[in-house]
């Protein structure tokens, strides 16, 4: 079998990985082997953290909705329950934006639901 040196292809492969790792510290940006390991690790962590970002934003939205709901004398869980019972389908992101930007408008769905019940 003949020898294959992989000159330009291997160089381009290594260059791409070192370019990806250019902002890393120390040997992680200079040596190919450690840069390759760090690239793999960085991409794995990025994948995990994309899902964690969704989780943390949902927690933030729930905290904001809960604070706004408690100002109106109702808990978060009962507010969400009442909204679904009355077929008010607003997602948590929208509810949190309304709760933080406009306190009057955020209290209106709660008051409407309370008026229908009582």
């Amino acid at each position: 079998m003949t020898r294959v040196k992989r000159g330009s292809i291997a160089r381009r492969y290594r260059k791409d990985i070192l370019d990806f790792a250019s902002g890393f510290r120390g040997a992680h940006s200079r040596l190919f082997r450690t840069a390759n390991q760090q690239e793999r690790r960085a991409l794995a962590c990025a994948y995990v953290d994309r899902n964690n970002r969704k989780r943390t934003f949902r927690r933030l939205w729930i905290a904001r909705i809960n604070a706004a709901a408690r100002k109106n004398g109702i808990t978060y869980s009962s507010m969400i329950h009442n909204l679904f019972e009355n077929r008010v389908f607003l997602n948590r992101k929208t509810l949190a934006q309304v709760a933080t930007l406009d306190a009057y408008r955020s209290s209106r769905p709660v008051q409407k639901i309370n008026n229908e019940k009582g």
Side-chain angles (χ1 to χ4, degrees), residues 8-44:
S8 62
I9 295 168
R11 200 175 318 114
R12 186 176 63 218
Y13 172 70
R14 285 191 221 102
K15 183 179 175 294
D16 287 345
I17 288 175
L18 287 170
D19 283 344
F20 179 87
S22 63
F24 298 170
R25 293 185 62 173
H28 297 310
S29 66
R30 293 186 193 95
L31 303 178
F32 172 73
R33 185 180 292 175
T34 54
N36 198 16
Q37 291 168 354
Q38 286 302 305
E39 180 197 20
R40 236 180 276 135
R41 182 179 179 139
L43 292 173

Side-chain angles (χ1 to χ4, degrees), residues 48-107:
V48 169
D49 288 338
R50 280 195 293 275
N51 295 323
N52 286 348
R53 184 187 336 140
K54 296 170 181 66
R55 187 184 311 161
T56 54
F57 269 111
R58 183 182 168 98
R59 286 180 66 186
L60 174 68
W61 297 331
I62 288 172
R64 287 178 175 172
I65 296 166
N66 190 20
R70 286 180 188 272
K71 281 184 181 176
N72 296 306
I74 189 171
T75 62
Y76 165 80
S77 60
S78 57
M79 177 181 164
I80 294 293
H81 176 73
N82 292 339
L83 287 173
F84 274 97
E85 264 188 351
N86 291 291
R87 298 178 187 207
V88 180
F89 297 115
L90 291 172
N91 62 11
R92 285 159 182 81
K93 181 179 179 181
T94 307
L95 284 171
Q97 284 177 336
V98 170
T100 54
L101 295 176
D102 195 351
Y104 173 70
R105 284 203 178 92
S106 69
S107 65

Side-chain angles (χ1 to χ4, degrees), residues 100-118:
T100 54
L101 295 176
D102 195 351
Y104 173 70
R105 284 203 178 92
S106 69
S107 65
R108 287 179 67 192
V110 176
Q111 291 169 352
K112 181 183 175 204
I113 290 166
N114 287 339
N115 291 339
E116 288 177 2
K117 283 196 158 203

